[in-house]
Structure formats: C-alpha cells, structure tokens
Amino acid sequence: MLAFFKKPHPFIFNVYSVLIPVIITFFIIVVLQPFQFQDFGTTYLLISGSMVSILVGLSIVGSVKMLQKIFPKAMAENKWTVGKEFLLFLFVLILLIVVMSLTLLILNPRASAVALMARTSAITFAISIFPILISIMFEQYRHQKKQLQKATSLTKVLKSKNTELLARTSDQIPVAPPVMIPSEKGEIELRLDPKDLVYIKSDGNYIEVFFTDRDQVHKKLIRNRLKHIEELLPPITFLRCHNSYIVNGNHIIEIQGNARNLMLRLKGITETVPVSRAKAPMISDFLHHLK
C-alpha cells in the first residue's frame, strides 16, 4: 500500500475537481435532507442547496490556490504522487464538511452544531470516500496506460531518427560552431562542441552543465539562469523539455512514461530527465527535425 501511495500521479485540478464536490453537496442537501431540512418546501431546498454548493466550490478553488502559493514545492506537478492526491482529496472533503456544516447551521439554527457536523461528516464520507478511491485508481491506470503508449510511440520515432543520423556520411554531418556557456557576468565558463553537451539542469541561480570529455561525463556548476543559456543553443538540437532542463536530442536513448509525465533517458546518465506536460506535445516534432 505504501508503494502505491508513492507512485507518480498526474496533478489534475480542473472543472471536474470542483464540479464533483459541488454535485455531492447539492445531493446531500436536496435529496438526503439532513435534520429539519425535510420540513421545508422544494423551492427552499433548491435555493439552500445551490447556495451551499456554490460556497463549497469557491472554497475548494480558493484553498487549492492558497496551498499552491504557501507550499509550492509540495504542490509541484512533477513531484505529485498518489498519496498527495489522496491527501488533497481528504483536505477538500474536510473543507466541504466544515463549510457545509457552518452554512447549514446558519440556515437551520435550531439544530445542534455537534450533531449536525457529526451527521454531515458521516453522510459526506459515506458518499465520497469510495468514489474518491475509485477515481484515484482509475486515473492512475488511465494515465499510466496513456503515457506508456505515448512513450512507446515516441521511442519508435527516436530509434528511426537515430538510425537515420548514424547512416550519415562524414560530409553530410553539419559543422556546428562551438557552444559558449557564460557566467552571469558574461565570462565564458565552458567552450564545448555541441555534440559533447549532454544536458543542463537549473539549480536556483545556478545551472549544472553535464558534458562529455574523452567518453566521461563531467559536471560544471555555473552561476547563470537557464533561460539565458537557452537563447544561445540551436533549437534544432537542444530542447527545453522542462522548466528546469535543457537536453541535447542526440543524447536521448529512450523515452519512458509513468502516470504523471514522460521521462528521457540519456546516454551515460543515470538520472532520468522529466518532460513537463506543457512540453510533451513538442517532443515528436523535435525528434523529426533533429540534426
């Protein structure tokens, strides 16, 4: 079970993430009619259910946005897991219970606050917990399958392109100017043949440059921003596949996928390089035009 909760999972917060709790809230008030709500007419129930549901929806949007600002690292999409998804669902569920209980207490002041919250909690958990678990497992399976198919397809394109590049004669290989990688002050820290530059990783105000020298991979830390270096590299060979990574397409040997994202395996590198969801659609076109 612990291994399952540690699995990568896509961070999905869209209209359905708000709509489903809103529908559940409306269902509890209008259909189940907790406490004295069954004594009121249909019109009152519909108005009350709509008001509480809208309030719940706004609370969910506000709380998730707040969590993203307060805990940006914990909420980062490239580090999202099944466990975090489950905890976020529980957080939303508890928020739903609190907002619904407080609103119901205002609308129905005759009810006992403790009893109302207890019953609201029991009803909400009973209705929601199994759909939540089923939803997480379904999303895990669906995205895992989808990413595996995409990775397999892209790997085929990659192998075909690698075969094409290896078949080139020496006079067909373009002579590329050396890559100059400067520091923040403009001083040249590295002068490399483009084929020797494997990938670059952002590390705050610094970049980690991974390059080969005599078939050995080396790393150099340089004070500069990744976006400044990206402007110096030819886009036909180098791809900004993630906010924190630039890779040399000629060093990609395999494309893998999990439920959260695609990953690139590079020749001679043990670390896999993530591909952000925004950049994933660009991979196929990049491989086709790679030189």
Side-chain angles (χ1 to χ4, degrees):
M1 182 61 74
L2 189 60
F4 176 73
F5 281 122
K6 288 183 178 180
K7 281 187 175 184
H9 193 79
F11 181 85
I12 303 170
F13 186 71
N14 52 30
V15 63
Y16 298 106
S17 306
V18 179
L19 189 60
I20 291 172
V22 165
I23 292 172
I24 290 173
T25 305
F26 188 81
F27 177 82
I28 290 173
I29 294 174
V30 175
V31 179
L32 298 182
Q33 301 175 16
F35 293 99
Q36 288 86 5
F37 273 86
Q38 62 267 29
D39 299 331
F40 296 101
T42 303
T43 303
Y44 183 86
L45 279 174
L46 290 173
I47 293 172
S48 301
S50 299
M51 288 175 56
V52 179
S53 300
I54 291 169
L55 187 58
V56 165
L58 293 173
S59 300
I60 290 170
V61 173
S63 61
V64 171
K65 296 297 181 184
M66 178 190 69
L67 287 173
Q68 288 176 322
K69 284 190 175 181
I70 298 175
F71 307 107
K73 290 185 178 180
M75 299 290 288
E77 290 187 23
N78 63 319
K79 294 183 180 178
W80 202 248
T81 63
V82 171
K84 288 182 177 180
E85 181 77 359
F86 184 71
L87 288 175
L88 182 60
F89 265 115
L90 285 182
F91 174 80
V92 169
L93 203 59
I94 292 168
L95 179 69
L96 186 152
I97 290 168
V98 171
V99 172
M100 197 159 43
S101 297
L102 289 175
T103 311
L104 289 175
L105 195 60
I106 293 170
L107 294 172
N108 189 16
R110 291 177 294 168
S112 163
V114 175
L116 188 147
M117 181 165 281
R119 184 172 179 186
T120 303
S121 300
I123 293 172
T124 305
F125 268 101
I127 290 173
S128 306
I129 196 66
F130 287 109
I132 285 173
L133 289 171
I134 291 169
S135 174
I136 291 174
M137 288 189 288
F138 174 73
E139 288 295 339
Q140 175 68 201
Y141 170 77
R142 188 170 73 90
H143 282 270
Q144 183 77 44
K145 185 178 179 181
K146 182 180 176 181
Q147 294 290 68
L148 181 61
Q149 289 173 341
K150 188 184 296 182
T152 302
S153 175
L154 289 172
T155 298
K156 287 181 181 178
V157 174
L158 174 65
K159 289 180 179 179
S160 174
K161 191 64 180 182
N162 285 341
T163 301
E164 178 189 322
L165 293 175
L166 288 171
R168 294 181 300 179
T169 59
S170 58
D171 61 320
Q172 291 176 318
I173 300 174
V175 178
V179 173
M180 307 288 191
I181 301 182
S183 68
E184 198 173 51
K185 296 179 179 180
E187 300 171 351
I188 302 301
E189 296 283 344
L190 274 176
R191 183 179 186 276
L192 297 169
D193 188 311
K195 65 180 176 60
D196 294 329
L197 178 54
V198 183
Y199 77 107
I200 306 173
K201 179 180 179 180
S202 175
D203 185 15
N205 292 325
Y206 290 83
I207 56 169
E208 296 176 354
V209 182
F210 293 81
F211 61 97
T212 58
D213 183 20
R214 298 175 185 176
D215 296 326
Q216 294 293 318
V217 178
H218 301 270
K219 179 178 77 171
K220 185 174 179 65
L221 189 67
I222 299 173
R223 186 177 178 87
N224 209 330
R225 295 279 186 173
L226 198 63
K227 65 178 181 179
H228 297 149
I229 304 302
E230 183 184 10
E231 297 170 358
L232 306 175
L233 301 174
I236 203 159
T237 305
F238 294 91
L239 174 69
R240 180 80 175 269
C241 62
H242 188 277
N243 284 341
S244 301
Y245 292 89
I246 295 175
V247 298
N248 185 335
N250 291 305
H251 284 269
I252 302 172
I253 57 174
E254 186 184 3
I255 299 170
Q256 300 175 334
N258 56 39
R260 186 172 58 212
N261 56 12
L262 294 174
M263 296 170 294
L264 307 177
R265 280 190 60 229
L266 306 177
K267 185 167 51 181
I269 304 294
T270 55
E271 177 187 21
T272 55
V273 175
V275 178
S276 67
R277 288 169 61 189
K279 301 287 185 180
M282 302 167 54
I283 294 290
S284 179
D285 188 60
F286 171 75
L287 293 176
H288 278 294
H289 294 90
L290 182 63
K291 292 186 178 179

